[in-house]
Amino acid sequence: MVTTSVHRASTDQTPEPPKPRRVSRSARLWRASPLTYLTLVAAVLLSIFPLYFMIVGATLSNDALGKYPPHLLPGGRFLTNLQHVWDNEDANVGKGLLNSIIVSSCVTVSVVFFSSLAGFAFAKLRFRGKSALLLMILGSMMVPVQLGIIPLYLLMVKIGWENHLQAVIVPFLVNGFGVFMMRQYASQAVPDELIEAARVDGSNTWGIYWHVVLPALRPAAAVLAIFTFMQTWNDFLWPLMALQDPDNPTVQISLRSLGTGYYTDYSQVFAGTAVATVPLLIVFIIFGRQIIGGIMEGALKA
């Protein structure tokens, strides 16, 4: 009897096998299929191929670039082509790179600073006319930049800024897109309780912005910095009008000079374009780390 009861007790205490975990319908929908991976790989290849072919073209001679089918493997003439680009007095690539670095850096720092400051004010401060001012900023985003080129050029001529770098820096120190972007991000990323706690501790408005708001806006500021630097670096029409002096170009005007004339050496054009792409890659790597770091920091806090 005792043996039978012990056997029954041990049988009753045997753990049941785990039940299969049910996968929700939403999880099944988000699960990547082989077609999804194939589409992503194709998109990555199509995005990288122009950059790769630019590098290949920068390492080949002009005769090799004209052959069909085209070469898809790098050659050994990159340093030679780069030396020809650097010695081209009409293009003045060295001065163009320096001017573009100065202009893009100044515009990027200014846009990030003023946009974050204005975005904080529109999102968290109370003052008269806030809604009207925000509507005016949104309205400025609807006006194409090309419509203001002629009046802006006449203004630059009148104040004597033609052929000077301030003509391509000052008009773009702040923009409506940056203000609106920072306003939307600050309204969600900065809690009102945190601002009130800083005020209770005796911090003024500037201290709240510098020590509380600005660190919280770091991911959005990195995105805005990337967009602004790329847009300013690739700008061509306005520098072409404002900087008509061939000795004071930006990098895009210098690249244009490489492709003009009776004879176009495409190997030089590819080499100059490859050099002009390096600062963009550096900026993307630097601020890309800031974006990932801000996202991970927010995830750990959550």
Side-chain angles (χ1 to χ4, degrees):
M1 296 292 294
V2 175
T3 307
T4 305
S5 61
V6 171
H7 178 69
R8 289 179 180 177
S10 61
T11 305
D12 295 339
Q13 294 178 359
T14 302
E16 297 181 358
K19 297 181 180 180
R21 185 177 181 181
R22 294 182 179 180
V23 181
S24 62
R25 185 177 180 181
S26 59
R28 290 197 301 267
L29 291 176
W30 284 105
R31 183 179 296 173
S33 62
L35 181 59
T36 302
Y37 286 109
L38 183 62
T39 304
L40 291 175
V41 170
V44 170
L45 293 178
L46 290 176
S47 301
I48 294 178
F49 181 76
L51 182 63
Y52 173 76
F53 189 76
M54 176 192 66
I55 297 175
V56 171
T59 60
L60 299 175
S61 63
N62 198 41
D63 296 335
L65 286 172
K67 292 182 179 180
Y68 184 83
H71 291 269
L72 296 179
L73 296 178
R77 289 180 54 87
F78 177 74
L79 295 179
T80 303
N81 294 334
L82 184 60
Q83 185 65 37
H84 291 164
V85 170
W86 211 259
D87 294 339
N88 194 326
E89 297 180 357
D90 296 332
N92 204 355
V93 175
K95 187 61 177 293
L97 285 171
L98 179 61
N99 287 342
S100 290
I101 291 174
I102 295 174
V103 173
S104 300
S105 300
C106 293
V107 172
T108 300
V109 172
S110 175
V111 167
V112 171
F113 173 72
F114 286 113
S115 296
S116 60
L117 193 62
F120 161 61
F122 280 115
K124 298 300 178 180
L125 300 182
R126 298 179 181 178
F127 54 92
R128 292 182 179 180
K130 181 172 71 172
S131 299
L133 290 175
L134 185 60
L135 288 176
M136 291 176 60
I137 292 175
L138 294 178
S140 66
M141 296 170 56
M142 303 178 185
V143 180
V145 180
Q146 291 79 5
L147 292 180
I149 284 183
I150 295 178
L152 186 59
Y153 177 76
L154 296 177
L155 178 62
M156 295 297 108
V157 173
K158 187 174 182 179
I159 62 179
W161 284 5
E162 186 183 10
N163 295 327
H164 292 81
L165 289 183
Q166 57 263 33
V168 294
I169 295 177
V170 176
F172 306 101
L173 291 179
V174 66
N175 57 59
F177 172 76
V179 174
F180 180 72
M181 176 182 174
M182 286 299 185
R183 186 260 179 190
Q184 294 299 108
Y185 192 86
S187 61
Q188 300 178 359
V190 184
D192 296 333
E193 294 79 5
L194 191 61
I195 297 178
E196 294 299 329
R199 291 192 183 278
V200 171
D201 290 340
S203 180
N204 54 15
T205 303
W206 175 257
I208 293 174
Y209 163 76
W210 189 256
H211 297 288
V212 177
V213 177
L214 193 58
L217 298 181
R218 187 177 62 180
V223 174
L224 182 60
I226 292 175
F227 287 165
T228 304
F229 191 92
M230 291 179 62
Q231 181 180 3
T232 308
W233 185 272
N234 295 326
D235 192 11
F236 173 74
L237 181 58
W238 174 243
L240 181 63
M241 295 184 61
L243 303 176
Q244 299 181 5
D245 187 1
D247 295 332
N248 195 32
T250 58
V251 67
Q252 302 302 327
I253 300 177
S254 298
L255 295 179
R256 170 182 172 269
S257 300
L258 289 175
T260 57
Y262 295 103
Y263 174 75
T264 301
D265 192 342
Y266 291 101
S267 61
Q268 294 187 26
V269 175
F270 280 117
T273 306
V275 173
T277 309
V278 172
L280 293 179
L281 296 177
I282 294 175
V283 170
F284 183 80
I285 292 173
I286 294 174
F287 288 101
R289 291 180 178 178
Q290 295 295 326
I291 296 173
I292 297 174
I295 295 175
M296 295 302 298
E297 181 179 354
L300 290 175
K301 289 182 179 180

